Amino acid sequence: MNTRILIILALIIAGIAGWFFQQQGKISPPVNIEASEVDYEATDIKAVQTNEQGETEYELNAESLTHNPVTNQDEMSGITMNWEPSDEQRYRIEAGSAAINQQTGELHLSGGFTLVSEDKVSENKTAATDIEPIQVTGQTLKGNTKSRQVYSNEPVKVVQGMNRFEASSMKANLETGEYEFGKVAVTFTPVERQNKALF
């Protein structure tokens, strides 16, 4: 075979290969990678927060957790929280979703919440008190785990034993168990009058 023919064939093959690779090398549109608003996430969360003395302050269960580095908040859904802010007080809180800032203690519950006070038997007492637990339900609840205060500026329903009422707002100090309610509305149904002889 002639050398010229081999050189011409080699140049034609190189030209075709160069054109092929040039066409394949173009990416349209270019890939754009943006920073995520989430730096970690998890499901089926079980967490325990302790105080300075190492005692359990609250236990938290959640269906899912996402940490947002921009707001530095843990955003959770389907939460149940057992909170013991003092030796005398214990509460159970359930909510559809929650956002907690671990540094500041800011807490925001939404998607409906239930706050229930529970009897706490101390080492000095052998039985729980006869005081009925207080149950507060509403749409949103805000507070702070460090100051142990919660509040809602939206309507709440309160049940304690046979007593029931509604309020336009609520504020509570969970450490002392003191509640404040705004614009309370109570429905009172007296017992039917019975005419009986006194003697």
Side-chain angles (χ1 to χ4, degrees), residues 134-148:
I134 296 174
Q135 176 178 310
V136 181
T137 58
Q139 283 303 305
T140 62
L141 183 70
K142 296 180 181 180
N144 191 295
T145 58
K146 296 187 186 303
S147 69
R148 298 172 175 94

Side-chain angles (χ1 to χ4, degrees), residues 45-56:
I45 303 302
K46 295 182 192 299
V48 176
Q49 176 70 39
T50 57
N51 60 19
E52 292 81 16
Q53 290 77 34
E55 301 165 336
T56 299

Side-chain angles (χ1 to χ4, degrees), residues 75-105:
E75 299 167 358
M76 293 166 276
S77 64
I79 74 151
T80 302
M81 183 175 181
N82 294 315
W83 191 358
E84 298 183 19
S86 70
D87 290 338
E88 294 80 30
Q89 305 296 325
R90 179 188 348 215
Y91 301 88
R92 181 175 179 85
I93 302 173
E94 295 178 1
S97 61
I100 300 175
N101 186 314
Q102 295 295 337
Q103 276 70 40
T104 64

Side-chain angles (χ1 to χ4, degrees), residues 67-170:
H67 182 261
N68 187 331
V70 176
T71 61
N72 196 28
Q73 288 188 332
D74 292 327
E75 299 167 358
M76 293 166 276
S77 64
I79 74 151
T80 302
M81 183 175 181
N82 294 315
W83 191 358
E84 298 183 19
S86 70
D87 290 338
E88 294 80 30
Q89 305 296 325
R90 179 188 348 215
Y91 301 88
R92 181 175 179 85
I93 302 173
E94 295 178 1
S97 61
I100 300 175
N101 186 314
Q102 295 295 337
Q103 276 70 40
T104 64
E106 291 298 316
L107 170 72
H108 181 92
L109 305 177
S110 59
F113 76 89
T114 303
L115 168 69
V116 181
S117 66
E118 297 180 345
D119 287 332
K120 185 170 180 182
V121 180
S122 69
E123 295 173 5
N124 300 334
K125 298 178 183 177
T126 56
T129 61
D130 292 335
I131 298 173
E132 293 281 342
I134 296 174
Q135 176 178 310
V136 181
T137 58
Q139 283 303 305
T140 62
L141 183 70
K142 296 180 181 180
N144 191 295
T145 58
K146 296 187 186 303
S147 69
R148 298 172 175 94
Q149 309 237 349
V150 295
Y151 66 94
S152 178
N153 292 325
E154 296 183 14
V156 294
K157 293 181 181 177
V158 182
V159 177
Q160 184 179 28
M162 298 299 289
N163 303 317
R164 301 172 190 285
F165 64 88
E166 295 182 10
S168 65
S169 62
M170 177 209 65

